[in-house]
Amino acid sequence: MPDLPVLRGSLPEGLSTVRTVWQGYYIGGQASYGSVTSKPSPSLNSDLQSTVLPAAGGTYPWQPLGSASANDTGWGAFFGYNSQWDDVVVGIEGNYIHSGLNAVTSSTGYSPAGGIPTMTATSNATIRSTDFGSARLRAGYVIGCFLPYAFIGGGMGSQTVDRSVDATPKPYVALPNLQTSVTKTNLVYGYSAGVGVDVMLMAGLFLRAEYEYQRVTSTIESNINSARVGLGYKF
């Protein structure tokens, strides 16, 4: 029986693989959910406490301010450039996040100390971490349409501290309310690190999921942990 004619090369010798191309510029938007823990100095409000005087003959046994924590959502954007060698991808990225993390701490004292209280005094501090922009170095490895990666970065942001001290008389005491407050916004610096994965969906459109840790160093140290999801496009 004669052999069937088969053209050489008409059948593949093995399964072919197509590598996802991540090389090039990209841009995208993101949403986040995070938690912050801020550590103010225990004596943060000592200057304000000295301006609120207790009733005659009394003293406020001020307690130190403790750590402040909060959880909230945020949104932002990212853009960058990838360079690819076979399955290895390295790149640089700019990342921005705006959030509503308002961490609150307070302490209470009474006047007079050790006697029948005539005034209740509260010392408050709210640390608002609203904006943070960073430059990142990324490194990843291509697995099919997935690009798992790790990154480190540094940047700066905005931190606003609202401080106040309030003294409120008891209902049975004829004394006025006393209050003093101050608000200050500072430019703060910090660093970030984390891991994530980009998933190529179609024709340059990709989905992102990542975890980031940020440490903001300033007069008030803040540590932020956040989970993010994003949608981007690679040109």
Side-chain angles (χ1 to χ4, degrees):
M1 181 177 180
D3 293 335
L4 294 175
V6 177
L7 295 177
R8 183 179 299 274
S10 62
L11 295 177
E13 296 182 358
L15 296 175
S16 62
T17 59
V18 178
R19 179 179 295 113
T20 302
V21 177
W22 292 94
Q23 174 96 19
Y25 293 95
Y26 62 90
I27 190 170
Q30 59 187 345
S32 73
Y33 181 80
S35 64
V36 61
T37 299
S38 298
K39 302 176 181 178
S41 165
S43 59
L44 176 66
N45 275 357
S46 59
D47 58 332
L48 299 184
Q49 292 167 3
S50 64
T51 67
V52 179
L53 301 177
T59 59
Y60 291 128
W62 293 108
Q63 297 299 314
L65 292 173
S67 296
S69 300
N71 301 281
D72 212 328
T73 57
W75 53 266
F78 58 87
F79 63 92
Y81 178 80
N82 290 324
S83 184
Q84 184 170 347
W85 291 273
D86 294 330
D87 291 328
V88 176
V89 176
V90 296
I92 186 169
E93 178 178 295
N95 199 285
Y96 165 76
I97 197 74
H98 171 82
S99 61
L101 294 170
N102 298 331
V104 180
T105 181
S106 64
S107 66
T108 302
Y110 298 94
S111 172
I116 299 176
T118 58
M119 303 278 284
T120 300
T122 305
S123 177
N124 307 289
T126 300
I127 300 97
R128 292 185 280 155
S129 303
T130 55
D131 299 277
F132 194 83
S134 62
R136 297 175 170 182
L137 293 176
R138 298 200 318 156
Y141 190 83
V142 180
I143 304 174
C145 63
F146 296 89
L147 177 63
Y149 62 87
F151 66 87
I152 58 173
M156 63 182 63
S158 175
Q159 184 183 78
T160 299
V161 182
D162 300 316
R163 302 187 295 125
S164 67
V165 172
D166 304 278
T168 305
K170 295 296 183 179
Y172 48 81
V173 178
L175 291 172
N177 289 2
L178 301 173
Q179 182 183 56
T180 183
S181 62
V182 64
T183 297
K184 186 176 182 180
T185 299
N186 296 312
L187 182 66
V188 294
Y189 303 89
Y191 62 83
S192 62
V195 295
V197 60
D198 289 342
V199 184
M200 188 65 73
L201 301 177
M202 61 177 71
L205 186 68
F206 66 91
L207 183 68
R208 166 175 293 189
E210 73 172 28
Y211 160 78
E212 182 181 53
Y213 166 77
Q214 294 175 334
R215 183 174 184 270
V216 177
T217 55
S218 65
T219 304
I220 299 176
E221 175 189 325
S222 296
N223 296 279
I224 303 171
N225 293 275
S226 61
R228 301 180 181 180
V229 293
L231 190 66
Y233 184 80
K234 186 194 74 68
F235 299 96

